Amino acid sequence: MTKTNAQAAGPQQDIFAEREPGILLSRLLDECETLFVKKLSLNDRDWARLTNKHQAGVYVPPRERDGGFFPPLVAKERDDPEADEIRETFFDIEWPGVGETRQARLVHYTSKGPETHMTRLPKPAFRDLAPASLIVMGRDRDGAYRAITLDSDGADHEILSDILDLPPDFVSGLFTLRAVRREREEKVLTFIEEVVKAYFNGSIATLADKYGTMPATAELAATARTRFMTEQRLKSMDPFGMAKPGDAIRAISRGVEYEIFKELQMRGRAVELVRLVLGDDPKALTPEKALRSIIVEFPKIDAMLLSAAQQRKSRAGYSFEHHIEAMMIDGGVPFEKQVVIEARKRPDFILPSKALYDDAGRTNKEALVLSAKTTLRERWKQVGQEMKNCDLYLATVDENIAANAIEDMASQGIMLVVPESLKNSDTTEYKKQASVISFKSFFNSDIGTVRWPLWVDRGLVVARH
């Protein structure tokens, strides 16, 4: 993915991010004109910690290799004139995160097809990275290169993703910061004009009322689903009729809905910030008053920005649940949501019903618990107690779960349910894990094949055709 097909982006910070970028990322964004960003595959980072790996560096896709960011490749002189061509180039990269500068080699063995690798990189920059981490390389005005890696579990990873508007399925891309900033500004130009006009004609309070209320999470989720279904020409969210239901949920929740949310939040919070700093009366405004407001009202400004960041995080969890619920409704899957079971535990979904879940005479496969968490970290340990003589499934769109954590979950009987593209991705640890299944497999096999006939016998559903 290059800038030509990347999402609109901009190098400036997202003013509603909870934290500022770290100093290494800030310096890269401030001093470099062009960026190469790639989500690292397992091979791109495992070479730094495992001795049995043949790949000793990062794979660079042909589109980015030939996109004008890297020095041009030249043919290497070879003793055998009939040998397949090897194209290469050497250039220095500063690695401020590990405190050294190294000469890297970008090499394309034409006998192996289009694959090109950047080698001679410092192992410490890659050794401890979690799955789906990023390499970020910048080229400054003098043509010098600088690179850092961003762990997928860190704040800078999330901040850069917001700054560049990286879509959920992002793999790699080149970004010219001046151009992408201009694109972002053009997106909000109409809104800027609306705010300026409202402020100077004395109607900024009315504009604040217009943008001050955020839709409820269920309403926002429904709007995003409608937009996605229209774009994809879908009549429903029935998972049994979709090739990749998990990818659809991920695209809606992390893509479509998040973009709608960010725009609505930016408008509401921006008008609130304008009123806080400038007041409502343009005739009473002076530079001194504006500066005074910034200083005196800083605690309120700080609290407002922190609240905006927290609002984003809480929205993500509710969004994920709403889309899973809509998918089960459209698919005719019976469930109960957020019902209280023993010890005041409240799982996200019980299938097919709490009554059958509580039935001491049922079989193990007749009921199940489905928990939904956009990101796991240590929170997966909370769901292990929700199972009672039934299978426990944990749905997530989290990319950065380590193999040992997946194995720990499996040892406690937890099956992970992930989008299809993540299950088969080279950037995650899911592909070879038997305890990780796709949403497609969950609905078609674990629900449709294993449990549906049992529910038919119970009179809870009708047979599927």
Side-chain angles (χ1 to χ4, degrees):
M1 173 176 170
T2 63
K3 179 63 197 74
T4 55
N5 62 1
Q7 298 283 327
Q12 71 271 36
Q13 295 177 27
D14 185 332
I15 65 170
F16 299 120
E18 182 177 0
R19 285 172 282 184
E20 296 181 355
I23 189 168
L24 297 182
L25 177 58
S26 291
R27 183 184 168 205
L28 204 65
L29 295 175
D30 290 343
E31 299 179 8
C32 294
E33 294 186 331
T34 310
L35 297 181
F36 164 65
V37 183
K38 187 191 179 198
K39 186 180 294 182
L40 298 171
S41 70
L42 300 186
N43 285 338
D44 286 337
R45 59 186 180 83
D46 278 355
W47 61 270
R49 62 185 182 89
L50 301 176
T51 59
N52 61 341
K53 294 295 180 179
H54 298 293
Q55 179 175 319
V58 173
Y59 171 72
V60 178
R63 186 188 295 267
E64 281 75 47
R65 177 195 68 199
D66 300 329
F69 177 82
F70 295 99
L73 300 176
V74 296
K76 178 181 179 179
E77 293 186 9
R78 308 196 67 181
D79 294 336
D80 181 1
E82 301 298 322
D84 291 315
E85 187 176 66
I86 297 176
R87 302 167 63 229
E88 63 183 2
T89 188
F90 298 86
F91 57 103
D92 289 340
I93 304 176
E94 178 192 356
W95 295 87
V98 295
E100 62 176 290
T101 297
R102 285 199 177 193
Q103 185 183 67
R105 182 193 187 204
L106 188 67
V107 58
H108 173 209
Y109 294 95
T110 59
S111 61
K112 298 182 179 180
E115 68 178 65
T116 302
H117 290 93
M118 183 166 55
T119 62
R120 304 184 183 182
L121 311 181
K123 287 186 177 182
F126 297 85
R127 182 181 296 130
D128 300 320
L129 295 176
S133 295
L134 297 174
I135 180 173
V136 185
M137 285 186 62
R139 189 182 64 194
D140 66 20
R141 297 168 184 82
D142 298 322
Y145 292 89
R146 183 180 305 132
I148 59 175
T149 52
L150 301 181
D151 194 286
S152 57
D153 200 30
D156 277 355
H157 185 285
E158 182 178 352
I159 289 171
L160 184 69
S161 296
D162 272 345
I163 289 174
L164 297 181
D165 281 342
L166 302 184
D169 58 353
F170 173 78
V171 176
S172 64
L174 296 176
F175 299 89
T176 302
L177 297 181
R178 183 180 300 173
V180 294
R181 178 175 186 173
R182 183 171 61 249
E183 289 180 16
R184 169 170 283 189
E185 291 174 347
E186 289 173 353
K187 286 175 63 177
V188 298
L189 182 61
T190 301
F191 173 66
I192 293 173
E193 293 173 347
E194 185 179 16
V195 173
V196 172
K197 180 179 179 181
Y199 180 74
F200 284 105
N201 69 17
S203 62
I204 192 69
T206 302
L207 191 66
D209 291 338
K210 176 181 177 181
Y211 292 119
T213 303
M214 181 72 70
T217 56
E219 179 184 350
L220 194 61
T223 299
R225 282 196 303 276
T226 298
R227 180 179 297 185
F228 177 82
M229 290 167 62
T230 300
E231 293 173 350
Q232 300 297 318
R233 298 182 180 180
L234 298 174
K235 295 182 178 179
S236 78
M237 292 292 293
D238 180 359
F240 299 105
M242 303 177 75
K244 298 179 179 180
D247 284 356
I249 288 179
R250 183 179 180 224
I252 299 170
S253 178
R254 303 298 285 263
V256 178
E257 183 179 343
Y258 190 44
E259 290 304 311
I260 296 173
F261 173 84
K262 285 198 297 184
E263 181 177 354
L264 291 174
Q265 188 189 60
M266 180 275 294
R267 291 173 183 247
R269 301 286 181 162
V271 175
E272 183 181 356
L273 189 59
V274 168
R275 297 184 70 195
L276 191 59
V277 174
L278 303 183
D280 290 352
D281 184 3
K283 295 179 181 178
L285 177 65
T286 65
E288 180 183 355
K289 183 179 179 181
L291 292 172
R292 210 177 267 276
S293 295
I294 293 173
I295 297 170
V296 173
E297 302 294 351
F298 179 78
K300 291 183 179 180
I301 296 172
D302 186 48
M304 183 185 73
L305 301 184
L306 178 59
S307 171
Q310 292 171 337
Q311 187 182 31
R312 286 189 178 191
K313 292 182 178 180
S314 63
R315 177 218 64 90
Y318 288 121
S319 164
F320 192 40
E321 291 177 24
H322 289 320
H323 298 308
I324 293 175
E325 179 180 8
M327 193 164 275
M328 290 195 293
I329 290 173
D330 285 1
V333 178
F335 68 92
E336 289 189 50
K337 181 181 179 182
Q338 294 284 333
V339 294
V340 178
I341 57 177
E342 64 273 4
R344 296 185 180 180
K345 293 189 290 288
R346 193 187 294 267
D348 294 320
F349 303 100
I350 289 179
L351 282 63
S353 67
K354 183 176 183 297
L356 188 55
Y357 174 86
D358 288 334
D359 188 343
R362 67 167 171 81
T363 64
N364 173 272
K365 293 298 182 183
E366 286 187 282
L368 66 88
V369 170
L370 174 62
S371 185
K373 294 188 181 298
T374 52
T375 58
L376 298 184
R377 294 184 173 89
E378 295 297 311
R379 289 179 293 171
W380 63 267
K381 296 178 181 178
Q382 302 168 4
V383 306
Q385 302 171 357
E386 296 173 354
M387 130 175 50
K388 182 177 74 174
N389 188 31
C390 69
D391 290 332
L392 174 58
Y393 294 83
L394 178 52
T396 187
V397 290
D398 201 339
E399 298 179 77
N400 67 344
I401 308 304
N404 61 343
I406 298 172
E407 292 161 4
D408 286 346
M409 292 182 229
S411 69
Q412 297 188 35
I414 299 174
M415 292 284 292
L416 275 179
V417 183
V418 302
E420 292 73 28
S421 60
L422 295 189
K423 170 62 179 174
N424 298 315
S425 174
D426 290 329
T427 66
T428 71
E429 297 278 5
Y430 298 142
K431 184 181 289 187
K432 298 180 180 180
Q433 299 287 343
S435 63
V436 181
I437 62 173
S438 68
F439 274 86
K440 181 70 171 177
S441 178
F442 171 73
F443 282 112
N444 282 18
S445 178
D446 293 53
I447 298 294
T449 301
V450 176
R451 291 172 175 83
W452 204 271
L454 302 178
W455 296 345
V456 170
D457 292 343
R458 288 270 185 175
L460 301 174
V461 294
V462 297
R464 297 185 62 85
H465 300 290

